[in-house]
Amino acid sequence: MALDPSQQQAMLDAVPHLRAFAVSLCGNVTYADDLVQGALLRGLQNLDKFQAGTCMQAWLFTILRNQFYT
């Protein structure tokens, strides 16, 4: 599944929020940046599982949180 422009923009718009959330989880800016990068990569790899009409940011937050706890 290809990334359409609205999905691309939603992912880009979520980055600062994801970073703040990651910093709040781990307290380390470097590790937080790695978490964000990993969450975005997993989001792109699993884009076919994203349900259109739902919130991309919330979906990415879930990926990031699950990645942190694993």
Side-chain angles (χ1 to χ4, degrees):
M1 177 180 240
L3 187 66
D4 71 43
S6 65
Q7 290 174 325
Q8 181 179 2
Q9 190 59 50
M11 287 186 112
L12 290 173
D13 291 344
V15 170
H17 304 286
L18 288 168
R19 189 167 189 268
F21 180 54
V23 169
S24 75
L25 284 175
C26 65
N28 181 310
V29 175
T30 303
Y31 185 54
D33 287 340
D34 290 344
L35 279 172
V36 171
Q37 184 177 8
L40 292 170
L41 181 60
R42 284 187 181 181
L44 288 170
Q45 290 171 337
N46 293 291
L47 196 57
D48 59 321
K49 296 178 179 101
F50 177 71
Q51 294 180 356
T54 60
C55 182
M56 174 72 74
Q57 183 172 307
W59 186 65
L60 292 170
F61 266 65
T62 302
I63 292 171
L64 189 143
R65 185 197 66 219
N66 290 344
Q67 184 177 345
F68 174 74
Y69 286 128
T70 3

